[in-house]
Amino acid sequence: MRQIEVQVAHLFVSPLHRYEGRPSDGPVPLPAGGAEGGVAEIALRAHLGVVGDRYFGREAHRSASVTVMAMESLEAVERELQVGHALDPFATRRTVFLRGADVDALARTRFSLDTGAGEVVFQGNRPANPCAWMNVALAEGAHRALRGRGGVRCEPLADGNLTLGPAVLRVYDEP
């Protein structure tokens, strides 16, 4: 087992699928008065996902109900594309943003995150390959720039909560 001190930089939960259809059509509008953004805490349920999220309890998404991404990946894309501003992590629609770990290496591994309320164990499954929506949501060229560093799709294996701030990442098995 490997243990790494990390930071949970952002958490995102959305009950709405916004990237449907063709990217040229633009995202699905938010309901009147609706807003999306980060949250300070998420509740996870084993084999179901994040409470309140669009993928929660959906059979087709059980093995991919949580997506973890490295902030360093998004920042590398900012530099490569020379956008001149910080890219919005929430536009990627990823769930958990970590700082301080090679998140993409967690594909096909069992790992946990502990933000102080106990470990939440995950099965890292397939890479979260970026889609063409990233060119619309982030910046032109982001789709290609995120290849190989779009994060990892995961299934929570235990109930628990994650909060923003310092965390311990434990990697139990390597691919």
Side-chain angles (χ1 to χ4, degrees):
M1 176 184 69
R2 218 169 16 114
Q3 184 168 300
I4 306 164
E5 301 290 325
V6 297
Q7 288 283 322
V8 175
H10 301 286
L11 297 167
F12 179 76
V13 178
S14 176
L16 181 64
H17 289 278
R18 296 208 51 223
Y19 300 163
E20 296 178 352
R22 296 173 188 237
S24 60
D25 296 335
V28 172
L30 291 170
E36 286 190 323
V39 296
E41 181 174 7
I42 59 173
L44 296 118
R45 297 295 173 261
H47 311 290
L48 296 173
V50 179
V51 175
D53 192 73
R54 62 204 178 278
Y55 296 124
F56 184 78
R58 294 189 180 225
E59 186 67 35
H61 295 281
R62 293 239 171 114
S63 67
S65 61
V66 176
T67 306
V68 182
M69 184 175 186
M71 281 301 298
E72 291 87 349
S73 294
L74 197 59
E75 292 162 350
V77 170
E78 291 170 14
R79 288 188 302 274
E80 287 174 22
L81 299 180
Q82 301 177 3
V83 294
H85 59 83
L87 295 177
D88 179 6
F90 305 121
T92 66
R93 312 296 285 171
R94 300 324 194 226
T95 316
V96 178
F97 295 87
L98 295 182
R99 182 176 296 287
D102 181 1
V103 170
D104 295 291
L106 298 174
R108 293 171 287 289
T109 65
R110 189 170 53 94
F111 67 94
S112 70
L113 286 169
D114 187 343
T115 58
E119 282 187 299
V120 180
V121 179
F122 295 91
Q123 176 58 51
N125 292 312
R126 63 186 168 84
N129 296 319
C131 66
W133 275 100
M134 295 301 98
N135 287 344
V136 173
L138 291 175
E140 189 60 41
H143 177 211
R144 180 178 296 255
L146 279 169
R147 287 183 186 156
R149 56 183 170 197
V152 63
R153 304 245 187 241
C154 307
E155 177 179 5
L157 302 178
D159 292 356
N161 292 345
L162 295 176
T163 58
L164 296 175
V168 176
L169 168 66
R170 291 181 183 91
V171 182
Y172 294 102
D173 50 40
E174 303 292 330

